Amino acid sequence: MNHRAAWVGVLFLGGALGLMAYLLTRGLPEDLRQASEAQIASFSEAQALLKQQGEALDKLIAEDKAYLEPQPEVAAAKAALNKHLAALTALTPKLEALRAGLKADKGGTASSLELLNGELKAPVAAAKGGITPEHEAVARLLSYKANHPSILEGARARVEAAKALATGMKQAEAAPSDAPPAAQPQDEAEKKKKLSYKALEAKLAEEEQRARVEVELLQARLQATGSEGGALYHEVRLAEAACPNASVKIRARYQQLQGLAEEIIKTGEAMEAKAKASPVDFAACGRLSEAIDHSAAALIKSQAALRADLKTLNRSEDKILIDMRREPSPAHKYKYIRGGDAQEGPWEPVTVAFYDQHSGHLGMALESKPECTLPEEATRVASPPGYAYVGNARYGTWERRNGMQVWIFNSHYRMHRDRLWGAGGYQPIQHQNWKSYQTSTSKGQPYFGAAKQYGTQGSYTQKRFANSQYITKARATKTSGGYSGSKYSNSSNKSSSSSSKSSNRSGSYRSSRYSSSSFGGSGK
């Protein structure tokens, strides 16, 4: 028995020794071999690239050595080149170890070769990136000198434009105001709560009349102004008069434009000083002209964005999903309500992902922005049409009815309310339900109503949009017995937790009660 056990032990020991010998003598895995060969080739490519770029840099500097050598861009380019070369030099022992391991071709060294590959990968890839940006910076230095007159001419034109804008703003601001006394800030909400509904309506009408008078005066000034800066100032004042609650944000953006203009003017003064120096500091002039270019581009972009937002500030805008189809390709149909105008749009193609994201949102507003709110404040989380207007003192007030606090729209907005809910479709919203809406949308989650009556499967939607292609087709499929397995079966109100977050407001400017094309209103 002991002899048998001894023989078994010998056999096991022999097997283990054989396995160990196999592991030590077998070749490297093919994928590791290929990866190692590629890493060695990549190292050589990095060396060649850096050598080539170093020669190109030396050649570039030699074109005007006295001018270029003192420049920080040249020092930065040389430092970047030397850093990469030093990194490759430090990695040479590891590269040689990798080569030796490949040559030995022993499976037992696979783990060490994998480690070497990992240590070489990142620094070699960085070296292969080379010094192209630094080389381009040095080349720009030469262009600053070669193109000095045209560079100054272009920069001066942008500085003059900034001066004209800033001067127009200052002159308009300094002009005496003939506007009526400003209305009290809208932090009077507590006082308004104590007023009766009729008294509140009368107070709102009084404030509206005061704002209308100021708007008319500002419109006259806007038409009479002869400068771009003056026109912009009066556009801002016009918006502030119509929408006092948006004044702080509008004024901040206006002041940002003033700051950009002043920055361009000061940079221009610094550039002129360098241009008049003896000898001329070509590099400094070039750098400052680039700074002027960047600031001028930002000024133009910011000015255009502000003007675009002012034009739409006092106009409400809503985008309601009124129909959808998956075939022959995903598409949506929307109802667009812009101020007093409501139109149904054509079928619009959408991506499969967007279709799936909003498959549970039929009949809901995908975008909403009340009057006197900026575009970035728009609600872009799927929610029942009109909810974005609730709680906004511009549109209505909370009243206690039958023991419940409910939202009642002002008479100004009765028509707008009906555009959102349909004639006779509005049921006063309870305060607790509105709070639930706020909680959901603040988290970027759709709100489907207290009884889940909104959205694709909601009772409100099924009734109001009964003739939509989507519901008609879904009904036919269900009647034929195929609903549960159809493409319509996934259109539940659970499908929309992926709606994008946004803030709670937005607005527009032309089609408002402060312009000649007022859209009318809404009511109880």
Side-chain angles (χ1 to χ4, degrees), residues 47-370:
Q47 283 181 317
L49 174 67
L50 291 176
K51 181 181 178 182
Q52 180 184 4
Q53 290 191 334
E55 292 171 351
L57 180 62
D58 290 340
K59 184 178 179 181
L60 188 63
I61 294 170
E63 291 185 31
D64 197 338
K65 194 169 184 178
Y67 164 59
L68 291 176
E69 278 287 5
Q71 304 300 336
E73 290 90 340
V74 173
K78 288 181 176 180
L81 179 65
N82 292 332
K83 179 181 178 181
H84 289 314
L85 289 171
L88 291 183
T89 300
L91 291 170
T92 299
K94 293 182 179 180
L95 179 74
E96 293 306 321
L98 184 62
R99 280 177 172 154
L102 272 178
K103 186 175 181 180
D105 194 22
K106 293 182 179 180
T109 64
S111 59
S112 62
L113 293 189
E114 287 177 353
L115 181 61
L116 286 170
N117 273 312
E119 292 173 341
L120 287 167
K121 186 175 182 179
V124 169
K128 285 184 74 175
I131 60 166
T132 300
E134 292 83 358
H135 186 277
E136 290 175 349
V138 175
R140 278 201 302 276
L141 289 172
L142 281 177
S143 72
Y144 293 159
K145 186 174 182 179
N147 304 319
H148 180 68
S150 61
I151 286 174
L152 286 183
E153 182 181 357
R156 284 167 176 163
R158 283 178 274 282
V159 171
E160 288 304 312
K163 284 181 178 178
L165 182 69
T167 301
M169 288 176 166
K170 289 177 181 178
Q171 289 176 345
E173 291 170 9
S177 175
D178 52 3
Q184 291 297 313
Q186 285 197 338
D187 52 12
E188 287 191 340
E190 290 303 316
K191 293 181 181 179
K192 291 182 178 179
K193 284 181 181 178
K194 300 175 183 179
L195 297 175
S196 66
Y197 182 74
K198 288 185 178 180
L200 178 58
E201 287 275 81
K203 186 171 181 61
L204 288 171
E206 179 185 343
E207 291 177 359
E208 179 179 317
Q209 178 60 27
R210 183 187 294 109
R212 183 180 290 111
V213 171
E214 185 173 0
V215 165
E216 289 172 354
L217 291 170
L218 289 167
Q219 283 176 332
R221 281 194 170 184
L222 179 58
Q223 293 172 359
T225 189
S227 69
E228 184 178 4
L232 180 60
Y233 171 75
H234 288 300
E235 286 174 26
V236 168
R237 287 290 294 114
L238 194 63
E240 289 177 327
C243 300
N245 60 302
S247 178
V248 172
K249 291 184 177 180
I250 294 170
R251 181 62 59 164
R253 289 174 62 177
Y254 175 79
Q255 290 171 344
Q256 181 187 28
L257 293 180
Q258 287 181 306
L260 280 170
E262 293 297 334
E263 178 185 324
I264 292 169
I265 294 168
K266 288 181 180 179
T267 307
E269 291 171 352
M271 183 188 71
E272 293 297 345
K274 296 296 183 182
K276 292 175 182 176
S278 183
V280 175
D281 193 337
F282 297 107
C285 286
R287 295 188 196 105
L288 291 167
S289 73
E290 285 193 353
I292 289 170
D293 288 346
H294 291 313
S295 295
L299 178 62
I300 292 169
K301 183 177 179 180
S302 299
Q303 185 179 349
L306 177 58
R307 279 199 151 123
D309 289 349
L310 292 180
K311 287 179 181 178
T312 61
L313 176 65
N314 200 31
R315 184 183 67 207
S316 60
E317 296 184 352
D318 294 88
K319 180 180 178 180
I320 301 170
L321 178 59
I322 60 173
D323 209 345
M324 53 188 182
R325 67 186 184 199
R326 184 177 285 275
E327 297 172 353
S329 59
H332 279 175
K333 184 178 282 190
Y334 301 107
K335 181 179 182 180
Y336 293 97
I337 304 175
R338 298 183 177 96
D341 180 52
Q343 292 183 350
E344 291 188 8
W347 284 104
E348 299 179 24
V350 296
T351 64
V352 172
F354 191 79
Y355 183 93
D356 290 341
Q357 177 187 353
H358 294 292
S359 62
H361 301 158
L362 183 64
M364 300 180 77
L366 303 191
E367 296 179 14
S368 292
K369 47 182 185 177

Side-chain angles (χ1 to χ4, degrees), residues 16-70:
L17 291 172
L19 178 60
M20 184 178 297
Y22 167 75
L23 292 174
L24 291 173
T25 58
R26 68 169 179 155
L28 294 168
E30 186 59 28
D31 58 344
L32 177 59
R33 172 177 289 279
Q34 291 177 0
S36 300
E37 290 172 347
Q39 189 62 70
I40 292 170
S42 185
F43 191 98
S44 299
E45 290 170 5
Q47 283 181 317
L49 174 67
L50 291 176
K51 181 181 178 182
Q52 180 184 4
Q53 290 191 334
E55 292 171 351
L57 180 62
D58 290 340
K59 184 178 179 181
L60 188 63
I61 294 170
E63 291 185 31
D64 197 338
K65 194 169 184 178
Y67 164 59
L68 291 176
E69 278 287 5

Side-chain angles (χ1 to χ4, degrees), residues 391-424:
N392 186 333
R394 186 181 187 88
Y395 287 90
T397 186
W398 293 104
E399 286 193 9
R400 196 155 194 86
R401 294 188 176 182
N402 299 323
M404 295 183 297
Q405 198 174 17
V406 296
W407 181 257
I408 303 300
F409 278 89
N410 296 333
S411 59
H412 290 294
Y413 294 97
R414 182 177 296 113
M415 290 177 64
H416 187 58
R417 180 203 63 188
D418 290 346
R419 290 187 190 98
L420 292 164
W421 274 278

